[in-house]
Structures are given as C-alpha cells and as structure tokens.
Amino acid sequence: MLRQSSRLLTRATTMTWRRPFSTDLPAANSVDSTFSDSWKKVIPNTEPPMTPSAFMKPRPATPSSIPSKLSVNFVLPYSSELSGKEVDMVIIPATTGQMGVLPGHVATIAELKPGVLSVHEGNDVTKYFVSGGFAFVHANSFADIVAVEAVPLDQIDPNLVQKGLTEFTQKLNTASTDEEKAEAQIGVDVHSALNAALTG
C-alpha cells in the first residue's frame, strides 16, 4: 500500500494539467436546445422563455498586460446601476472586510454585507449603500456586483435611520420568538451599517 501511494504522488506532481479560468473558456451556446425542444413539446404555441445565459455576452480573453481601467457591472433585481462602466477602482463591503478592486485583480467571489460600495473614477467618487449581495471579480479586469438593494448615499435621510435603529433595537429587546429576534437583529444590523456609513 505504501509503495503505491508514493507512485501516485510522483505521478501527481509530474502532471502538467491545469484547470482553466472561467474567463479562458470559450463562450457557450446561449440557446439551450434541450430545454427549447422540451418546452415546444409541452406548450407548442408559445415561444420558450429566455434563460439568463441568453442575456450574457461572452467575456473577452484575459489580457497579457494589466489594463488601466476596471470594467464594472453593478446590477440590482429591478435595474442596472452601472453597465460596463470603466472605473479606476471599486471598494466593496465584503463580509471579510473592505475589499479594494483595481484593474488586474485576482479572480475572486465575495459576499457583500450591509455597507458602502464606493466607485472611484478619477477624482469622482460615487457611493452607494448596499444591503447585501455578491461581487464576482474576473481575471480579465471585469467586476460584476449583484446587490439586493442599493441606494446612493446622498439620498438617505439620517433622521429616518436613527428612528429605524431605535425601533429595531426596542423590537430586539422585546422579541419573544426566534423569528422575531432574527427579524429585529437584521433590522439593527442594517440600520447600524447605514448609521456608520452616514457618520463615517
């Protein structure tokens, strides 16, 4: 048994196989023919719905040198805030801490926590408060940010934030069930993050 394991380790270290990045893969066909055929059998009079892959454009190849700009897509369930916008840097409120993304950043997936998303374009900085979501940073200097809710920071009323924080803190102190405690805790977390974004 020991002889076989050393042989397997030797073979594993001499292999030159490398898993490609998702951005290195060729673009997949945007039409799922199996789904379309199945749909037409069940509902022949109606065109099949478009799947998310039908709306996605293939990513450009990973450049050999680092580009000077980062292309950002910032999407909400009901709108697109930024679409292919070229910026200098984005600061993301990740659950692991604030994460700055520059052109040439390593491919990363980060979960967003309630906080401030900053988009830096020269001397201009646009700030949004996001409630949560995900950021997908690709090796080809593209970043896709998907948030549940986002509001420009200058449109938030500090008085309403203080009022909400007080209400949710009282609800948390008087909650009797686990569900009530969880709802109140989410409210306290979001309003605390909003308050910190406005004061800091």
Side-chain angles (χ1 to χ4, degrees), residues 20-87:
F21 285 112
S22 63
T23 53
D24 295 337
L25 298 175
N29 187 4
S30 62
V31 177
D32 184 0
S33 60
T34 308
F35 173 76
S36 296
D37 293 342
S38 300
W39 179 274
K40 288 177 183 176
K41 287 177 186 174
V42 177
I43 308 172
N45 299 334
T46 307
E47 287 296 315
M50 304 276 287
T51 58
S53 60
F55 298 101
M56 297 172 68
K57 297 176 186 169
R59 294 266 182 226
T62 304
S64 58
S65 63
I66 297 175
S68 61
K69 296 285 185 180
L70 174 71
S71 295
V72 177
N73 297 312
F74 180 31
V75 182
L76 305 172
Y78 48 85
S79 70
S80 176
E81 292 293 317
L82 303 173
S83 180
K85 182 146 180 119
E86 292 192 344
V87 300

Side-chain angles (χ1 to χ4, degrees), residues 42-188:
V42 177
I43 308 172
N45 299 334
T46 307
E47 287 296 315
M50 304 276 287
T51 58
S53 60
F55 298 101
M56 297 172 68
K57 297 176 186 169
R59 294 266 182 226
T62 304
S64 58
S65 63
I66 297 175
S68 61
K69 296 285 185 180
L70 174 71
S71 295
V72 177
N73 297 312
F74 180 31
V75 182
L76 305 172
Y78 48 85
S79 70
S80 176
E81 292 293 317
L82 303 173
S83 180
K85 182 146 180 119
E86 292 192 344
V87 300
D88 296 318
M89 176 176 67
V90 175
I91 299 176
I92 298 169
T95 54
T96 55
Q98 294 291 98
M99 182 172 83
V101 179
L102 295 165
H105 195 283
V106 66
T108 306
I109 297 175
E111 183 181 359
L112 303 180
K113 67 177 182 179
V116 177
L117 171 84
S118 303
V119 180
H120 297 258
E121 195 178 357
N123 292 332
D124 297 333
V125 179
T126 307
K127 295 184 178 184
Y128 299 89
F129 182 82
V130 295
S131 62
F134 287 91
F136 304 92
V137 180
H138 306 279
N140 56 2
S141 292
F142 271 80
D144 295 321
I145 303 166
V146 182
V148 178
E149 286 286 336
V151 178
L153 206 55
D154 56 1
Q155 293 181 10
I156 299 173
D157 184 357
N159 296 325
L160 291 176
V161 172
Q162 286 296 330
K163 181 180 174 186
L165 182 58
T166 304
E167 287 175 8
F168 279 108
T169 303
Q170 289 174 352
K171 286 182 182 179
L172 183 61
N173 294 335
T174 60
S176 57
T177 66
D178 288 341
E179 184 179 346
E180 289 174 351
K181 288 178 185 175
E183 287 176 2
Q185 186 62 53
I186 291 169
V188 168

